[in-house]
Amino acid sequence: MPKAKREDRIQEVLEIVDLSDKRKQFRDKARLLGSFAMPFMFLILFGSGMSGAMQSMLGGNSGGPLADFDFVEFMFPGIICRFK
């Protein structure tokens, strides 16, 4: 089998598995709720807990170059991309 044809077939199989997984996720309410709640829980826990530690590590107390670094703003785009 030519390499290009094999790669196309692999892509088809991956899309089928992905579609199947998405269907299962939307049918199972607990799994659906968990997939939306978990990232926001991490945002709240790590955002509030790690924000102070990150600020002190980056020189926030001494007016360093990253004094206005906000850990929650750093994490939020990654959490949103997770829902893609």
Side-chain angles (χ1 to χ4, degrees), residues 58-68:
L58 296 172
N61 299 334
S62 63
L66 297 173
D68 59 347

Side-chain angles (χ1 to χ4, degrees), residues 3 14 17-18 22 35-37 40 45 47 54 59 77-78 80 83:
K3 186 176 181 179
L14 290 175
V17 170
D18 184 48
K22 285 179 182 176
S35 70
F36 285 108
F40 290 107
L45 292 175
M54 293 298 288
I80 296 300
F83 291 121

Side-chain angles (χ1 to χ4, degrees), residues 1-10:
M1 180 181 289
K3 186 176 181 179
K5 204 169 202 174
R6 189 173 353 148
E7 288 175 357
D8 289 342
R9 181 68 180 145
I10 290 171

Side-chain angles (χ1 to χ4, degrees), residues 33-83:
L33 179 66
S35 70
F36 285 108
M38 186 68 74
F40 290 107
M41 185 179 74
F42 278 121
L43 181 64
I44 292 168
L45 292 175
F46 285 126
S48 62
M50 295 289 288
S51 190
M54 293 298 288
Q55 191 172 20
S56 66
M57 283 177 17
L58 296 172
N61 299 334
S62 63
L66 297 173
D68 59 347
F69 179 78
D70 187 10
F71 191 63
V72 175
E73 286 181 19
F74 174 74
M75 285 182 55
F76 190 72
I79 289 173
I80 296 300
C81 287
R82 184 199 182 290
F83 291 121

